[in-house]
Amino acid sequence: MVIKFFRSSFITQYAVISMTALVLWVIPCFNPPSIPPPYGPVPLYDLLYSLIHNLPLLSVILGFILVVVEMYWLNQILSGHELVQKNSSLAALIFILVMSFYPEALILNPVNINVLLLLVIIYNLMISYKKPEHLDRIFAAGFFTSVASMFYFPFIIWCGLIFISFVLFRSGKWRQWISALLGLLTPYLYLAVTYFWYDQLTEKINAYVEFFHKIFVFPNPFQIDFLILGGMTLLSGLYGLSVLFSGPVEKTVEIRAKMNLFLWTIPFSILTFFLSGPMAIFHPLTAAPAFSLVIVSALQGIRKPARVEWFLWLYFFMILANTLYFHRIFYHQ
């Protein structure tokens, strides 16, 4: 019943998904978690944190609005590029559940901000497919990668996704490489000039260099509820990948290339996890768009989805119960 209902994409489905998100996100409003402090050299997040770190309720509301916007836009990207059924809203539902799976993530944080910028990057790269003269799109992808790293610095490594897209789309002309590099460098050139003006350039360069020494440094221990729900999320994604790669390939070359672009975000999410430090509990959210795609791709071919629907209900109620009650027990142990 659930999968059949969300195979349509009308205002009713989006209203139900938004209400599902609201049910999960309204709980922290009564006892808002703290917005995570900046980690590493992140000038834009430093500014944001200084403005709203004393306003946790506002941070929860802004985080909710941000995730709902991401949900809608992701579904539009997937359906517009025919990566899922055009009339399906199931990807939006899966995305909301994955983005809300852990209570401490139910607030504005660097990673869910980066998910929005990741969608901007993917959107620009997909538009550039078969259009090598769209250098503005390639420049924008590089530019927003740098902007994203100013909220969450490990994201700078995701610049490799742009160069991989040239291979996937078979369009790696030298002008595109230069355009991507210029996009990557532009925000940091302005930042370097600002630091130089205030005589902070050497200090900031040292901070960037020292950041890469913090590999596998996780100061916050993972709670058991994080491991359980994170494990369920991971198993769902692995199930989707197994079905996706074991099934028949009936998509066009263009659709396969664009789907592979989404799939490449999973290795980048794993790679940058080693630099996530205290943001490790938020970091899995970077894989939410790709997991939404692979899970929905697996569900689309299921003719009798009763067991899968039971798992979705179980997943939702475990998230809800953990947010309402169990997380506080594990957190205070």
Side-chain angles (χ1 to χ4, degrees), residues 24-46:
L24 296 172
W25 282 73
V26 75
I27 300 168
C29 291
F30 298 100
N31 187 23
S34 300
I35 183 171
Y39 175 61
V42 282
L44 291 181
Y45 187 68
D46 282 336

Side-chain angles (χ1 to χ4, degrees), residues 30-286:
F30 298 100
N31 187 23
S34 300
I35 183 171
Y39 175 61
V42 282
L44 291 181
Y45 187 68
D46 282 336
L47 176 61
L48 180 65
Y49 182 80
S50 67
L51 294 174
I52 66 172
H53 74 280
N54 288 325
L55 302 169
L57 179 59
L58 175 62
S59 301
V60 173
I61 294 171
L62 292 176
F64 170 75
I65 294 172
L66 178 66
V67 169
V68 169
V69 170
E70 291 168 349
M71 168 268 292
Y72 178 78
W73 195 19
L74 172 65
N75 208 76
Q76 293 301 110
I77 291 174
L78 295 180
S79 60
H81 290 272
E82 300 182 4
L83 302 184
V84 299
Q85 295 176 355
K86 280 194 172 183
N87 60 341
S88 174
S89 58
L90 192 55
L93 174 66
I94 301 299
F95 178 80
I96 283 294
L97 293 179
V98 174
M99 291 293 289
S100 310
F101 87 97
Y102 195 59
E104 290 186 30
L106 301 179
I107 195 168
L108 189 68
N109 62 74
V111 179
N112 58 28
I113 294 172
N114 270 29
V115 169
L116 177 64
L117 294 170
L118 174 60
L119 294 179
V120 174
I121 294 163
I122 290 177
Y123 174 76
N124 280 284
L125 291 176
M126 285 187 168
I127 289 180
S128 71
Y129 183 82
K130 286 186 176 179
K131 297 178 180 178
E133 297 306 316
H134 273 205
L135 299 179
D136 56 333
R137 297 293 182 177
I138 302 298
F139 178 90
F143 181 89
F144 283 107
T145 301
S146 287
V147 170
S149 71
M150 294 182 183
F151 287 98
Y152 181 51
F153 187 65
F155 201 83
I156 193 66
I157 297 175
W158 289 63
C159 66
L161 185 67
I162 302 172
F163 304 126
I164 286 174
S165 75
F166 297 156
V167 178
L168 295 175
F169 297 166
R170 301 175 183 176
S171 58
K173 295 183 178 180
W174 70 269
R175 294 180 66 192
Q176 290 180 304
W177 288 81
I178 296 300
S179 182
L181 289 172
L182 289 175
L184 285 166
L185 290 174
T186 298
Y188 279 99
L189 287 174
Y190 282 102
L191 188 63
V193 170
T194 302
Y195 288 150
F196 177 79
W197 184 262
Y198 289 101
D199 196 23
Q200 297 177 337
L201 185 59
T202 303
E203 174 190 346
K204 295 299 181 179
I205 290 175
N206 291 334
Y208 280 100
V209 172
E210 290 174 4
F211 182 85
F212 287 101
H213 295 160
K214 302 174 183 178
I215 300 176
F216 295 106
V217 177
F218 304 116
N220 299 329
F222 299 110
Q223 306 293 333
I224 189 172
D225 56 332
F226 176 86
L227 296 175
I228 292 172
L229 291 170
M232 291 182 67
T233 307
L234 178 61
L235 288 175
S236 301
L238 292 175
Y239 167 75
L241 285 171
S242 66
V243 173
L244 187 63
F245 286 120
S246 62
V249 179
E250 300 177 353
K251 299 182 182 296
T252 65
V253 173
E254 178 179 348
I255 293 176
R256 288 201 301 269
K258 291 178 177 179
M259 181 168 287
N260 286 334
L261 179 65
F262 262 95
L263 296 182
W264 265 100
T265 63
I266 297 176
F268 277 98
S269 180
I270 296 171
L271 177 63
T272 50
F273 178 77
F274 302 138
L275 288 166
S276 60
M279 297 294 172
I281 59 173
F282 306 104
H283 186 87
L285 302 181
T286 57

Side-chain angles (χ1 to χ4, degrees), residues 12 140 331:
T12 305
Y331 186 79

